[in-house]
Amino acid sequence: MPKVRRSRKQPPEGWELIEPTLEELEQKMREAETEPHEGKRITESLWPIFKIHHQKSRYIYDLFYRRKAISRELYDYCLKEKIADSNLIAKWKKSGYENLCCLRCIQTRDTNFGTNCICRVPKSKLEEGRVVECIRKAVQQMRYDPVIWLID
């Protein structure tokens, strides 16, 4: 199995604890990238890639900020090597963005009227009985189906 992409710099202590999970997610990413996309909409073909990208970043975020299971050195190493998305993690640290599924949901340039994605609108502000889904629906599911990561 190929290793997780990283520079020649020796990884910090604790890397061996998170490496198997990161390798597994990297393998899933390769499979999602090579999966055939005939007959799918463009956004549907990108759903698995966004989902895995979210999982990798959330994994590193949870280990450092919530569980305090990795060191600052290892966390910085993961961000520097672009194993986790530093911009997405920076948003998660801000109030109101804790459950942000991806950065595309807050980019106003990607919408017709210069607004946020519909998944960012509070449920209380939506019309009752009206079902509205995010274009990035598969990633949005990550907000409600958290994965529990186990490290001994």
Side-chain angles (χ1 to χ4, degrees), residues 40-142:
K40 293 182 180 178
R41 297 180 307 178
I42 293 173
T43 55
E44 286 177 359
S45 63
L46 294 176
W47 286 347
I49 295 170
F50 277 119
K51 185 174 182 178
I52 295 166
H53 175 76
H54 180 276
Q55 283 179 326
K56 281 172 47 175
S57 296
R58 184 56 87 167
Y59 174 63
I60 299 298
Y61 173 82
D62 285 342
L63 286 177
F64 184 70
Y65 287 104
R66 293 202 175 153
R67 297 185 57 203
K68 312 240 186 285
I70 61 174
S71 66
R72 171 59 110 178
E73 288 178 51
L74 184 55
Y75 173 73
D76 289 339
Y77 177 81
C78 290
L79 295 182
K80 184 179 177 190
E81 295 295 318
K82 300 195 185 302
I83 295 169
D85 187 348
S86 60
N87 294 326
L88 186 57
I89 290 175
K91 288 293 181 187
W92 285 338
K93 291 190 288 186
K94 292 182 178 179
S95 178
Y97 293 96
E98 297 88 1
N99 295 322
L100 183 65
C101 57
C102 66
L103 291 174
R104 290 182 65 194
C105 287
I106 58 172
Q107 291 176 345
T108 57
R109 68 176 180 198
D110 292 342
T111 59
N112 292 337
F113 302 106
T115 59
N116 288 336
C117 180
I118 192 69
C119 71
R120 299 295 303 150
V121 177
K123 299 265 187 221
S124 62
K125 302 284 183 184
L126 294 175
E127 295 176 21
E128 237 179 273
R130 183 174 178 200
V131 177
V132 182
E133 292 183 346
C134 175
I135 291 175
R136 299 157 234 9
K137 182 174 105 179
V139 179
Q140 186 181 10
Q141 290 173 353
M142 291 298 300

